Amino acid sequence: MNECGVETLYRDLLDHWNHRDASGFAMLFRDDGSLVGFDGTSVESAGLIKDHLAKIFDNHLPPTFVGKVREIRPLGSDAALLRSVAGMLRPGEVNVEPELNATQVLVAARRAGEWRIVHFQTTPARFDARPEEAEALTAELQAIAAG
């Protein structure tokens, strides 16, 4: 399995989000791909993902992502699960917003040598009743954001 291809797919996904590129973001998904957003919104199909994000990007200036891959787990020779953590920076800001920290899961499949996203999910990383874990994640993500 080519773990580098899966990580590149994830990095490209964040890059398209950060550049508010709904078409580029959606093209990383299989036609029947799906996503669950930070707020729990579920979107089914690459075409609907493109439409959903275009509305967001046309009407809002969303924060940008910084991310760190925690694990890439093979699910066979042509499928993989990627787990990551991500933070977000509001436009013009240099500090990660702790309330926007998230864990992310990406499931990818390879066809004809090309990796595509089957499913992508972002879940708030609140760490209820564990403030030290929330603070540690924010510090880790802030270090990435600082370069």
Side-chain angles (χ1 to χ4, degrees):
M1 187 188 75
N2 180 354
E3 292 179 0
C4 181
V6 177
E7 184 164 354
T8 298
L9 187 65
Y10 173 71
R11 297 283 170 212
D12 289 347
L13 187 75
L14 296 186
D15 189 52
H16 286 295
W17 172 276
N18 291 345
H19 288 97
R20 296 167 183 83
D21 178 7
S23 294
F25 190 100
M27 75 174 206
L28 299 174
F29 285 78
R30 289 178 22 158
D31 289 342
D32 62 348
S34 59
L35 73 79
V36 176
F38 190 85
D39 69 349
T41 299
S42 183
V43 186
E44 309 293 328
S45 88
L48 292 176
I49 290 167
K50 177 184 171 187
D51 294 344
H52 173 73
L53 290 179
K55 289 176 189 171
I56 291 172
F57 296 153
D58 287 347
N59 297 308
H60 298 81
L61 193 59
T64 57
F65 277 115
V66 294
K68 181 175 184 179
V69 173
R70 291 275 196 241
E71 172 189 22
I72 298 174
R73 182 184 312 168
L75 301 174
S77 61
D78 291 318
L81 174 116
L82 179 147
R83 292 184 323 105
S84 62
V85 291
M88 298 190 92
L89 293 91
R90 295 192 191 279
E93 297 294 324
V94 295
N95 292 319
V96 170
E97 293 285 338
E99 69 274 5
L100 299 178
N101 289 347
T103 59
Q104 297 178 322
V105 175
L106 182 148
V107 178
R110 182 172 47 190
R111 284 193 185 153
E114 190 170 16
W115 287 100
R116 288 284 180 249
I117 299 168
V118 175
H119 182 75
F120 179 68
Q121 182 160 346
T122 299
T123 303
R126 294 186 348 203
F127 298 106
D128 295 337
R130 293 170 294 163
E132 64 286 346
E133 289 183 47
E135 291 168 8
L137 179 58
T138 298
E140 180 179 14
L141 293 168
Q142 184 61 51
I144 294 168

